[in-house]
Amino acid sequence: MNDFKVTAETIDLALFRATMQDVSCGAYVQFDGWVRDHNEGQKVLRLEYEVYEPLAVKEGERILAEARERFGVSRTAVIHRSGLMELSDTAVVVGVASPHRDEAFEACRYIIDQVKVRLPIWKKEHYASGHAEWVNCQRCAQHKQERGARD
Amino acid sequence: MNDFKVTAETIDLALFRATMQDVSCGAYVQFDGWVRDHNEGQKVLRLEYEVYEPLAVKEGERILAEARERFGVSRTAVIHRSGLMELSDTAVVVGVASPHRDEAFEACRYIIDQVKVRLPIWKKEHYASGHAEWVNCQRCAQHKQERGARD
Amino acid sequence: MNVTVRYFAAFREAAGVESETLPSKATTAGELFSECRDRHAALQDYHASMVAINEEMSQWDSTIKDGDEVLFFPPVAGG
Amino acid sequence: MNVTVRYFAAFREAAGVESETLPSKATTAGELFSECRDRHAALQDYHASMVAINEEMSQWDSTIKDGDEVLFFPPVAGG
């Protein structure tokens, strides 16, 4: 099973969703991360993701297994982009199908939070100023801490 | 603006998602309600939704405005099916776009919870036994109560 | 006074009619519902049900007046 | 002993190399990183960074041995 995928191509969202379909499930929650035009006051022109694929996939599969185990959801999948991306492109998609919606929301949230802090993936933002920078996820660091405190 | 729609046709999910795109948003959360093959131990063959459209749309728009107000999200939309539906059909889709994901998850959750308890929409399940029944949402009643206690 | 009542879903099936205009002495939507139960014994209680008056979601103790259209909504299950 | 080090993202740009095999006296991944900072002054501290040894996510106090491949991951930002 390889439900965590990395791709350098545009993510095929219709295909992704089709693979999540499950007649025993009443709830499907999907998170899409989009390339947005600003970050911390700077105008963003494009993004670049560097992914160390062997470990990103291995650890990504682990995250999905944890989500199924913890929340009892039926299906989980992620596709993460690598390489250069333009504004509004989908950088990551997380899908969770479950009989009921409580678990689907919780598992989807868990997966994207973990993806942001545990996987060897780096984001470089290219700004209108001509400058480019590797970005740390401020909010994510915070989430990690909060989760640490809860666990 | 009419972001809350009712339709007797199959929901066009690709079109729905395209209308949610927003270059100022980094997060998009979508909830799909699917027709599942069982409910409380009974095998379900198909579903029927009765919708009183004038008030469902009016109250639905109100729910979306509340979500934007409470959570500060950028875009919200819902399409709800009416009429006869088969297994795995999408009965409802909720989309929320926001600069950050916290708010997108919370607003999406808020909208679907409210849609389930506040709108003049009724679900009739047709069972393998030949029997058919108007369904009350047990979990929803519970959510309503919990929310009431919090508010 | 006369009011028009519309029944939905399980209420419609219990009442056996979709809509009816009837003379009423009720002052509230709840009282009107009781009168309708007298006409249609199969109607359940309005516990957990909702009511709309002239296309506005209302309360069971909302006042009704001559010519109102009152919609009886059994327990809902959207999504 | 000899180990192979791979730098990613900001670390690669700071080190100016993608990978290098070097002699080391380090017993832990953290000590190895310090040796690498001596070679490449632009490398930042490993605060909030991660390390993998032979394709397994590891800790900065994990033991390294001759022939290991050690991957230095600067602070990540998936999604």
Side-chain angles (χ1 to χ4, degrees):
Chain A
M1 189 178 54
N2 187 5
D3 292 333
F4 190 100
K5 291 197 180 72
V6 174
T7 179
E9 311 290 318
T10 299
I11 296 172
D12 183 339
L13 289 159
L15 179 64
F16 178 81
R17 195 177 170 294
T19 63
M20 299 303 296
Q21 202 78 50
D22 186 327
V23 77
S24 71
C25 290
Y28 175 66
V29 175
Q30 184 175 309
F31 173 83
D32 298 8
W34 292 340
V35 179
R36 79 171 187 276
D37 63 0
H38 65 283
N39 192 23
E40 313 204 351
Q42 295 209 71
K43 192 163 150 47
V44 175
L45 294 185
R46 65 186 66 80
L47 275 198
E48 204 181 327
Y49 276 100
E50 177 173 336
V51 179
Y52 181 58
E53 192 166 333
L55 265 187
V57 169
K58 197 170 180 177
E59 191 73 4
E61 292 286 353
R62 215 169 265 164
I63 292 170
L64 297 183
E66 288 166 11
R68 289 191 298 269
E69 167 87 13
R70 284 193 184 204
F71 304 104
V73 295
S74 305
R75 295 197 188 196
T76 56
V78 170
I79 304 179
H80 202 295
R81 276 289 308 274
S82 63
L84 209 61
M85 304 184 59
E86 303 297 324
L87 298 184
S88 286
D89 281 355
T90 298
V92 62
V93 56
V94 178
V96 176
S98 169
H100 299 286
R101 71 186 185 286
D102 283 322
E103 304 82 336
F105 272 103
E106 285 171 17
C108 188
R109 185 61 205 261
Y110 177 79
I111 292 167
I112 186 61
D113 285 354
Q114 296 291 309
V115 161
K116 283 177 183 267
V117 296
R118 277 168 60 181
L119 303 190
I121 298 178
W122 303 272
K123 176 161 66 175
K124 192 178 215 170
E125 288 180 345
H126 296 258
Y127 304 110
S129 62
H131 188 61
E133 204 169 280
W134 293 103
V135 179
N136 291 332
C137 180
Q138 301 301 335
R139 284 203 169 197
C140 297
Q142 214 184 337
H143 284 138
K144 195 178 190 177
Q145 214 169 18
E146 286 163 8
R147 230 187 355 266
R150 275 208 312 275
D151 284 350
Chain B
M1 190 178 55
N2 185 6
D3 292 332
F4 190 100
K5 292 196 178 72
V6 175
T7 179
E9 310 290 317
T10 300
I11 297 172
D12 184 338
L13 290 159
L15 179 64
F16 178 82
R17 195 177 170 292
T19 64
M20 300 303 296
Q21 202 79 50
D22 185 327
V23 78
S24 71
C25 291
Y28 174 67
V29 175
Q30 184 176 310
F31 173 83
D32 298 9
W34 292 340
V35 179
R36 85 171 179 278
D37 62 2
H38 64 284
N39 191 24
E40 312 203 351
Q42 295 207 72
K43 192 164 151 47
V44 175
L45 293 186
R46 66 186 65 82
L47 275 198
E48 204 181 326
Y49 276 99
E50 177 173 336
V51 179
Y52 182 57
E53 192 166 332
L55 265 187
V57 169
K58 196 172 182 175
E59 192 74 1
E61 293 285 353
R62 214 168 267 165
I63 292 170
L64 297 184
E66 289 166 10
R68 288 190 299 268
E69 167 87 14
R70 283 192 185 205
F71 304 103
V73 295
S74 304
R75 297 196 187 197
T76 57
V78 170
I79 304 179
H80 202 296
R81 276 289 308 272
S82 63
L84 209 61
M85 304 183 58
E86 303 298 324
L87 297 185
S88 287
D89 281 355
T90 298
V92 62
V93 57
V94 178
V96 176
S98 169
H100 298 285
R101 71 186 187 285
D102 282 322
E103 304 82 335
F105 272 103
E106 284 171 18
C108 188
R109 185 61 204 261
Y110 177 79
I111 293 167
I112 185 62
D113 286 354
Q114 296 291 310
V115 162
K116 283 176 182 267
V117 296
R118 276 168 60 180
L119 303 190
I121 298 178
W122 302 274
K123 175 160 67 174
K124 192 177 213 169
E125 287 179 344
H126 296 258
Y127 304 110
S129 62
H131 189 59
E133 205 169 279
W134 293 102
V135 178
N136 291 333
C137 180
Q138 301 302 332
R139 284 204 169 195
C140 297
Q142 212 181 338
H143 285 138
K144 195 177 189 176
Q145 216 168 16
E146 285 163 10
R147 233 190 350 270
R150 275 209 310 275
D151 285 353
Chain C
M1 66 173 186
N2 285 288
V3 295
T4 299
V5 170
R6 289 178 65 182
Y7 302 98
F8 291 83
F11 282 164
R12 181 182 59 247
E13 292 181 1
V17 301
E18 191 170 331
S19 167
E20 57 190 348
T21 299
L22 67 165
S24 171
K25 294 186 161 59
T27 57
T28 66
E31 285 171 25
L32 176 62
F33 191 88
S34 295
E35 291 180 355
C36 292
R37 282 186 82 189
D38 292 341
R39 299 164 68 102
H40 309 289
L43 273 179
Q44 62 197 85
D45 189 7
Y46 64 70
H47 172 72
S49 299
M50 299 194 293
V51 62
I53 303 174
N54 302 326
E55 303 280 296
E56 271 296 339
M57 298 303 296
S58 304
Q59 304 300 320
W60 288 106
D61 61 3
S62 297
T63 305
I64 56 169
K65 57 182 197 311
D66 188 44
D68 277 352
E69 184 186 52
V70 182
L71 315 180
F72 291 142
F73 297 149
V76 300
Chain D
M1 68 173 186
N2 286 287
V3 295
T4 298
V5 170
R6 289 179 64 181
Y7 302 99
F8 291 84
F11 282 162
R12 181 183 59 245
E13 293 181 359
V17 301
E18 191 170 330
S19 166
E20 56 190 349
T21 298
L22 66 165
S24 170
K25 292 187 164 58
T27 56
T28 66
E31 286 171 23
L32 176 62
F33 191 87
S34 295
E35 291 180 353
C36 292
R37 281 186 81 190
D38 292 340
R39 299 164 67 102
H40 310 288
L43 273 178
Q44 62 198 85
D45 189 7
Y46 63 69
H47 172 74
S49 300
M50 298 194 294
V51 63
I53 303 174
N54 302 326
E55 304 279 296
E56 272 295 340
M57 298 303 297
S58 304
Q59 306 299 321
W60 288 106
D61 61 2
S62 295
T63 305
I64 55 169
K65 57 181 197 309
D66 189 45
D68 277 353
E69 185 185 53
V70 183
L71 316 180
F72 291 143
F73 297 149
V76 300

